[in-house]
């Protein structure tokens, strides 16, 4: 079992920045593919980015110029740096984990999820 705890969600003005964190349990965290998704009411969970065990990253086109995913394996933590935030970025943000070093963007490929953290961007 892998437990994930997100933090860092907040209310921020448009144009601002936030950094989300996700702390993970597990002795082999460095091998996990870690991903970030977001969801708004009535919509499907949207893939944002992932970072694989070797550090390679992959982004959704909608955020690749503004968001950066990174990881600190010594702290078992993955981050999502979000810049130039827009009101349409308002959502609950989730981190997800797969214990295999896979390349994936579909929610169903990730068996482990955090509880989510709310990001609200005011105009």
């Amino acid at each position: 079992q892998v437990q994930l705890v997100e933090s860092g969600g907040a209310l921020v003005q448009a144009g601002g920045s936030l950094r989300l964190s996700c702390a993970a349990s597990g002795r082999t965290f460095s091998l996990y593919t870690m991903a970030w998704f977001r969801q708004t009411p009535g919509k499907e969970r949207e893939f944002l980015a992932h970072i694989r065990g070797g550090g390679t990253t992959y982004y959704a086109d909608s955020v690749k110029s503004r968001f950066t995913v990174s990881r600190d394996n010594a702290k078992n933590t993955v981050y999502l740096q979000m810049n130039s935030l827009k009101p349409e970025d308002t959502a609950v943000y989730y981190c997800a984990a797969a214990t295999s070093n896979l390349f994936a963007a579909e929610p169903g490929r990730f068996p482990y999820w955090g509880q989510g953290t709310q990001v609200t961007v005011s105009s």
Side-chain angles (χ1 to χ4, degrees), residues 22-119:
C22 174
S25 64
R27 292 180 293 175
T28 57
F29 172 80
S30 63
L31 302 179
Y32 300 170
T33 291
M34 300 296 297
W36 287 96
F37 292 78
R38 67 186 178 190
Q39 190 169 25
T40 55
K43 293 190 176 181
E44 294 185 352
R45 202 159 287 191
E46 176 190 10
F47 170 79
L48 300 174
H50 78 217
I51 183 166
R52 299 176 69 186
T56 56
T57 57
Y58 176 71
Y59 295 91
D61 288 342
S62 59
V63 301
K64 64 171 36 177
S65 64
R66 300 186 296 124
F67 291 6
T68 302
V69 61
S70 61
R71 67 193 299 160
D72 184 338
N73 290 333
K75 296 182 178 180
N76 274 27
T77 300
V78 64
Y79 304 98
L80 185 68
Q81 177 68 41
M82 305 186 293
N83 299 326
S84 302
L85 284 163
K86 306 173 183 179
E88 51 264 44
D89 293 318
T90 295
V92 177
Y93 284 69
Y94 297 91
C95 72
T99 55
S100 56
N101 188 25
L102 55 78
F103 181 101
E106 301 84 3
R109 301 288 301 278
F110 294 88
Y112 303 105
W113 292 82
Q115 80 288 353
T117 186
Q118 177 70 46
V119 172

